[in-house]
Amino acid sequence: QVQLVESGGGLVQPGGSLRLSCAASGFTLDYHAIGWFRQAPGKAREGVSGISSSDGSTYYADSVKGRFTISRDNAKNTVYLQMNSPKPEDTAVYYCAAAWLCGSYYYTDGSGFGSWGQGTQVTVSS
């Protein structure tokens, strides 16, 4: 059974740090692109970051560039999102998702990503 499980969310102060994890089971991260997406109340889902297993290329939304870092641990079949200097506007439910590299997928809005986790809440507040 293909499954993605996010963890690491919670309450963090502005300027702090938080690391989200996305653990895959039932498949390996090879041949997949993994994306992090978020959705705040009343807003559309948006792409935050992504990483390809083929060449390690990464994607970052302009709003998180320089603050968030995506990484992959193949041995643990897990992708991480390191969130540094979070801002209140980063508050959202964060989801990870997987897409086959051979297909079409878009980090910007999540189209083409077929497997999704259940999400983890991140709240940035003092």
Side-chain angles (χ1 to χ4, degrees), residues 14 27 68:
F27 72 104
F68 292 6

Side-chain angles (χ1 to χ4, degrees), residues 1-6 22-25 27 29 34-35 77 96-99 114-119:
Q1 181 182 0
V2 173
Q3 192 173 18
L4 293 168
V5 178
E6 303 96 336
C22 172
S25 61
F27 72 104
L29 295 180
I34 301 296
N77 218 30
C96 66
S115 298
W116 291 79
Q118 82 290 347

Side-chain angles (χ1 to χ4, degrees), residues 73-114:
D73 185 333
N74 289 337
K76 295 184 178 180
N77 218 30
T78 299
V79 172
Y80 303 98
L81 184 67
Q82 179 69 41
M83 303 172 61
N84 294 332
S85 300
K87 304 175 181 179
E89 51 263 44
D90 294 321
T91 295
V93 178
Y94 283 71
Y95 302 87
C96 66
W100 284 103
L101 287 176
C102 60
S104 296
Y105 55 91
Y106 299 90
Y107 289 125
T108 51
D109 63 3
S111 56
F113 284 81

